[in-house]
């Protein structure tokens, strides 16, 4: 048996016959390299060939700390569930947008930005929220223009997801901004500004999805379904926008367990 074990597991430090004193005691600290290696051999020989761990399942149940949510989207309100044909058309349109974006990304990236467009750094969460949503939505205040002829103040209403902007965002930034906006959406209402940016960021996500992006879009779809159910006035345009995001997450990014059942 020992010979077979040695064939499968050759010794890394073979120890030949060495002159050890007659009073060699393996229980005391070794005094020479030969004594140390001999002691290792003796201890290894005493180890059983097979070791079985004795596990008490009751202790494991008490110490579980990770909970994985596999909850699905809440069903659409009666009469507002999208048809399968509509969902398929949205996926086709979205796919075409992604292909066009990838094809012309270098062109749009080379375009000069207006002097008032200052993109925040990737880690600037508050900066990105204000950049995308504007002070009006971010601060939840009504800002009235003093002069209608002064033009649009994008600092107040938010910058739209122009191709010249999103084409400059790498995947790390896309994922970070998506996380910031989903976090904001977790406690706030859905707005057109938010919807435009969510659509643009989803269009910029590369497949296969990174684990963090996978978790984010599932969180986004579930949040859309919650807001959709709570929509008091059943605003058809807003519900359609929420349906669209759920549709893209579930059917384009293959999260089929979150898909709406066709009406």
């Amino acid at each position: 048996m020992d010979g077979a074990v040695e064939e499968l597991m050759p010794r890394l430090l073979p120890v030949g016959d060495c002159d050890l004193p007659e009073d060699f005691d393996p229980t005391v600290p070794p005094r020479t390299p030969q004594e140390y290696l001999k002691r290792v051999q003796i201890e290894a020989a005493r180890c059983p060939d097979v070791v079985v761990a004795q596990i008490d399942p009751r202790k494991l149940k008490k110490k579980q700390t990770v909970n994985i949510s596999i909850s699905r989207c809440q069903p659409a309100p009666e009469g507002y569930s999208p048809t399968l044909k509509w969902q398929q058309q949205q996926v086709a349109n979205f796919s075409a947008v992604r292909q066009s974006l990838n094809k012309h990304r270098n062109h749009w990236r080379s375009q000069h930005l207006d002097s008032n467009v200052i993109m925040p750094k990737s880690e600037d969460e508050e900066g990105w929220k204000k950049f995308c949503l504007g002070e009006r939505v971010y601060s939840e205040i009504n800002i009235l223009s003093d002069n209608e002829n002064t033009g649009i103040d994008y600092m107040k209403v938010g910058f739209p997801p122009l191709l010249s902007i999103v084409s400059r965002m790498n995947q790390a930034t896309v994922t970070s901004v998506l996380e910031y906006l989903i976090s904001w959406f977790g406690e706030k209402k859905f707005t057109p500004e938010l919807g435009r940016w969510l659509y643009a960021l989803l269009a910029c996500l590369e497949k296969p999805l990174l684990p963090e992006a996978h978790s984010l879009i599932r969180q986004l779809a579930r949040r859309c379904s919650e807001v959709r159910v709570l929509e008091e006035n059943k605003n058809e345009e807003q519900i359609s926008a929420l349906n669209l995001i759920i549709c893209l997450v579930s059917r384009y990014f293959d999260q089929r367990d979150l898909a709406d059942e066709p009406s």
Side-chain angles (χ1 to χ4, degrees):
M1 178 65 182
D2 292 341
V5 172
E6 286 192 12
E7 289 181 4
L8 294 175
M9 302 176 62
R11 295 179 181 177
L12 295 178
L13 294 173
V15 181
D17 295 333
C18 55
D19 295 330
L20 294 174
E22 294 182 358
D23 61 346
F24 170 68
D25 184 356
T27 62
V28 300
R31 294 167 295 180
T32 66
Q34 291 79 9
E35 288 184 5
Y36 169 76
L37 294 175
K38 189 63 178 178
R39 181 176 177 179
V40 171
Q41 280 188 321
I42 294 173
E43 291 178 352
R46 292 173 179 171
C47 293
D49 294 334
V50 179
V51 178
V52 179
Q54 300 297 326
I55 299 176
D56 185 352
R58 293 171 297 180
K59 294 182 178 180
L60 293 179
K61 290 181 179 179
K62 295 180 180 179
K63 296 184 178 182
Q64 290 183 6
T65 57
V66 178
N67 294 317
I68 300 177
S69 173
I70 55 174
S71 60
R72 298 179 177 176
C73 289
Q74 298 187 30
E78 186 176 354
Y80 289 91
S81 180
T83 65
L84 179 59
K85 182 178 180 180
W86 182 89
Q87 294 184 64
Q88 291 172 337
Q89 184 61 54
Q90 301 312 313
V91 169
N93 294 343
F94 182 70
S95 179
V97 169
R98 285 173 59 91
Q99 291 176 14
S100 178
L101 176 60
N102 290 331
K103 182 178 180 180
H104 302 290
R105 185 183 300 275
N106 290 334
H107 166 74
W108 288 110
R109 185 181 297 162
S110 65
Q111 300 301 303
H112 293 291
L113 295 175
D114 291 340
S115 59
N116 65 327
V117 181
I118 302 176
M119 297 173 62
K121 294 182 179 180
S122 179
E123 65 275 11
D124 185 2
E125 179 174 353
E126 300 305 311
W128 273 109
K129 289 177 181 177
K130 294 179 181 178
F131 183 88
C132 299
L133 305 174
E135 288 286 351
R136 181 177 61 83
V137 172
Y138 178 78
S139 303
E140 296 183 306
I141 58 177
N142 293 322
I143 299 177
L144 299 178
S145 176
D146 296 330
N147 188 345
E148 295 181 357
N149 297 323
T150 58
I152 299 175
D153 186 345
Y154 287 110
M155 296 302 296
K156 293 181 179 179
V157 301
F159 289 91
L162 303 173
L163 290 173
S164 55
I165 293 178
V166 297
S167 294
R168 285 174 161 79
M169 300 168 65
N170 58 29
Q171 282 299 290
T173 302
V174 169
T175 304
S176 294
V177 178
L178 188 61
E179 181 180 4
Y180 302 152
L181 295 183
I182 292 174
S183 174
W184 185 89
F185 184 35
E187 300 177 354
K188 307 294 183 180
K189 62 183 181 180
F190 186 85
T191 67
E193 296 85 354
L194 176 64
R196 285 192 290 268
W197 268 99
L198 290 175
Y199 186 94
L201 293 171
L202 290 176
C204 293
L205 275 183
E206 295 179 358
K207 297 176 71 174
L209 295 176
L210 295 175
E212 54 267 33
H214 177 272
S215 175
L216 281 172
I217 65 171
R218 289 183 63 85
Q219 180 183 342
L220 172 60
R222 287 194 290 265
R223 176 56 181 164
C224 286
S225 72
E226 294 171 0
V227 173
R228 183 177 60 181
V229 170
L230 297 175
E231 178 64 30
E232 296 178 357
N233 300 324
K234 295 296 181 287
N235 182 301
E236 187 171 344
E237 183 176 348
Q238 178 157 312
I239 288 184
S240 180
L242 296 169
N243 285 348
L244 173 59
I245 294 175
I246 296 171
C247 169
L248 298 180
V249 170
S250 61
R251 298 193 180 275
Y252 183 86
F253 291 102
D254 302 318
Q255 309 301 307
R256 297 304 176 94
D257 60 307
L258 302 178
D260 282 316
E261 293 295 331
S263 60

